Amino acid sequence: MAVWMTAASVASALNVLVLLALLSVWARNYLSVGSKHALGLTVFGCLLLAENCLSVYYYVLDPEVAVLLRNAAPVAGRAMTFVAILELGGLLFLAWISLD
């Protein structure tokens, strides 16, 4: 597996873990306060969690997709890795402010 595919799978797996922590905070806030803002964050987190779980599936559990990206569209694969790493940075920042 190419280095960028490994980086993408690690970043996506970390995104899943950070999103689970964030969702626990956001859902708890929604249940205790009932605000639309907390509901919006919870829905956003669920959708982003689904996207990242799908990415982990493609990178780790379905090697055919990894081979396809490596052979047919290496630039797209590297771009997807960069996006996953940027997303991890954004989620870590959200975790920092949400868990404070």
Side-chain angles (χ1 to χ4, degrees):
M1 184 181 288
V3 172
W4 56 269
M5 291 299 284
T6 302
S9 60
V10 168
S12 294
L14 289 173
N15 286 343
V16 168
L17 295 176
V18 174
L19 280 165
L20 288 172
L22 286 170
L23 278 169
S24 71
V25 171
W26 294 338
R28 187 176 56 237
N29 287 347
Y30 175 68
L31 292 174
S32 66
V33 178
S35 72
K36 286 184 181 179
H37 183 261
L39 177 62
L41 288 171
T42 303
V43 170
F44 168 76
C46 287
L47 294 172
L48 205 54
L49 180 64
E51 182 263 330
N52 277 282
C53 286
L54 188 62
S55 293
V56 169
Y57 172 78
Y58 282 146
Y59 291 132
V60 177
L61 301 175
D62 191 357
E64 292 179 23
V65 174
V67 170
L68 175 68
L69 280 174
R70 185 175 59 242
N71 295 334
V75 174
R78 285 191 291 273
M80 290 168 58
T81 299
F82 185 65
V83 168
I85 293 169
L86 285 175
E87 186 177 314
L88 179 60
L91 289 173
L92 288 173
F93 182 77
L94 279 174
W96 177 62
I97 62 172
S98 295
L99 300 172
D100 188 26

